[in-house]
C-alpha cells in the first residue's frame, strides 16, 4: 500500500496538523482505519495514538481510498478536542456500554394511596320461588322455539340476470323539441 499526503495544514489553536491523504492499495482490500493510522504515523513521524482519522472513503472500481486525518501534539489534546464517536472509531477510548435493566433496578415509585375498600356485600339469601313461576318459564321457552323466521325465497340465477338487465336499461324520456329560430 502506498500513502500520499495531498494536503498538510498546521492548526496552532487546536495544537494539531490536519492532513488530507490518498492511499493506493492495488490487489488489496480497502485498508482498515488502524492500518491507515499506522501508515500515517510512519509517514508523519508520529505515534499511532495521536493520529485520528476523521473519515475515509473508497471509490467503487478503484484501488484508492481518500480521507482526512488529524495529528495532535499529545493524546490528551486529542481526547479534549475530538468528538466522542470519532475517538471510539479510532479506538482511543472504549465505547460506553449501557447496563442491562436487571443489573440496575429502578427505584420503586410510591404506590398510589389505597382506595377505601368497600366491605364485600354478603350474598343475599335467595327466597324460594314458587314452583308455579318456574313452570311458567319452562312453558315460555318452547314457545320461542316454535317461532322461526320464514326462509327467504331464493331466486334462480336466470331470474337474477333478468333483474340486472332491467336495472341497467334506463327508461327513455321523450326528447325535448329542438328550438327553432333562435
Amino acid at each position: 500500500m502506498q500513502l500520499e499526503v495531498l494536503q498538510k495544514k498546521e492548526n496552532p489553536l487546536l495544537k494539531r496538523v490536519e492532513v488530507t491523504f490518498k492511499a493506493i492499495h492495488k490487489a488489496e482490500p480497502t485498508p482498515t482505519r488502524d492500518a491507515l493510522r499506522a501508515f500515517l504515523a510512519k509517514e508523519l513521524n508520529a505515534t499511532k495514538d495521536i493520529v485520528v482519522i476523521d473519515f475515509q472513503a473508497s471509490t467503487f472500481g478503484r484501488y484508492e481510498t481518500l480521507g482526512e486525518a488529524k495529528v495532535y501534539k499529545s493524546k490528551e489534546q486529542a481526547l479534549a478536542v475530538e468528538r466522542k464517536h470519532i475517538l471510539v472509531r479510532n479506538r482511543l477510548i472504549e465505547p460506553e456500554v449501557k447496563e442491562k435493566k436487571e443489573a440496575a433496578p429502578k427505584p420503586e415509585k410510591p404506590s398510589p394511596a389505597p382506595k377505601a375498600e368497600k366491605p364485600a356485600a354478603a350474598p343475599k339469601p335467595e327466597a324460594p320461588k314458587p314452583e308455579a313461576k318456574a313452570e311458567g318459564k319452562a312453558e315460555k321457552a318452547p314457545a320461542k322455539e316454535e317461532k322461526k323466521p320464514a326462509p327467504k325465497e331464493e331466486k334462480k340465477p336466470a331470474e337474477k340476470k333478468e333483474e340486472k338487465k332491467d336495472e341497467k336499461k334506463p327508461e327513455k324520456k321523450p326528447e325535448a323539441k329542438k328550438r327553432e329560430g333562435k
Side-chain angles (χ1 to χ4, degrees):
M1 176 169 68
Q2 295 176 346
L3 187 72
E4 291 181 36
V5 176
L6 301 176
Q7 185 179 11
K8 190 175 182 182
K9 180 181 172 188
E10 286 284 332
N11 190 338
L13 293 175
L14 296 174
K15 299 177 185 172
R16 68 183 184 196
V17 177
E18 297 167 357
V19 177
T20 303
F21 64 90
K22 177 166 87 172
I24 300 170
H25 45 89
K26 290 190 178 184
E28 294 178 16
T30 302
T32 63
R33 193 174 289 263
D34 284 338
L36 287 174
R37 284 178 57 211
F39 273 97
L40 279 170
K42 187 186 291 184
E43 185 78 23
L44 300 171
N45 298 326
T47 59
K48 185 178 170 184
D49 63 335
I50 62 171
V51 177
V52 177
I53 294 182
D54 212 13
F55 81 91
Q56 66 183 42
S58 295
T59 308
F60 180 76
R62 292 185 158 196
Y63 299 110
E64 296 177 347
T65 299
L66 297 173
E68 291 182 7
K70 300 167 190 165
V71 182
Y72 288 89
K73 301 284 182 193
S74 67
K75 186 175 180 179
E76 291 77 26
Q77 184 65 26
L79 295 175
V81 174
E82 281 297 323
R83 295 167 288 174
K84 212 175 223 182
H85 70 278
I86 299 293
L87 293 172
V88 170
R89 286 182 190 167
N90 285 282
R91 296 186 182 159
L92 293 175
I93 62 171
E94 294 295 320
E96 293 180 10
V97 179
K98 294 181 180 178
E99 295 180 20
K100 293 183 180 181
K101 292 180 180 179
E102 296 172 8
K106 293 181 180 178
E108 295 181 20
K109 294 180 182 177
S111 59
K115 296 178 181 178
E117 294 181 19
K118 295 180 180 178
K124 297 179 180 178
E126 294 183 21
K129 296 181 180 178
E131 293 180 17
K133 288 183 180 177
E135 291 174 6
K137 287 182 182 176
E139 292 175 6
K140 289 181 182 177
K144 290 181 182 176
E145 292 175 10
E146 292 175 6
K147 295 180 183 178
K148 290 184 179 178
K152 294 182 180 178
E153 295 178 17
E154 293 184 22
K155 296 181 181 179
K156 295 180 182 177
E159 293 175 2
K160 288 182 183 177
K161 289 180 183 176
E162 290 175 7
E163 287 180 9
K164 288 182 182 177
K165 288 179 183 177
D166 293 337
E167 290 175 5
K168 288 182 183 176
K169 293 180 182 177
E171 296 178 14
K172 292 184 179 179
K173 297 181 181 178
E175 294 180 17
K177 294 181 181 178
K178 293 182 182 179
R179 294 186 183 182
E180 295 177 16
K182 279 194 174 181

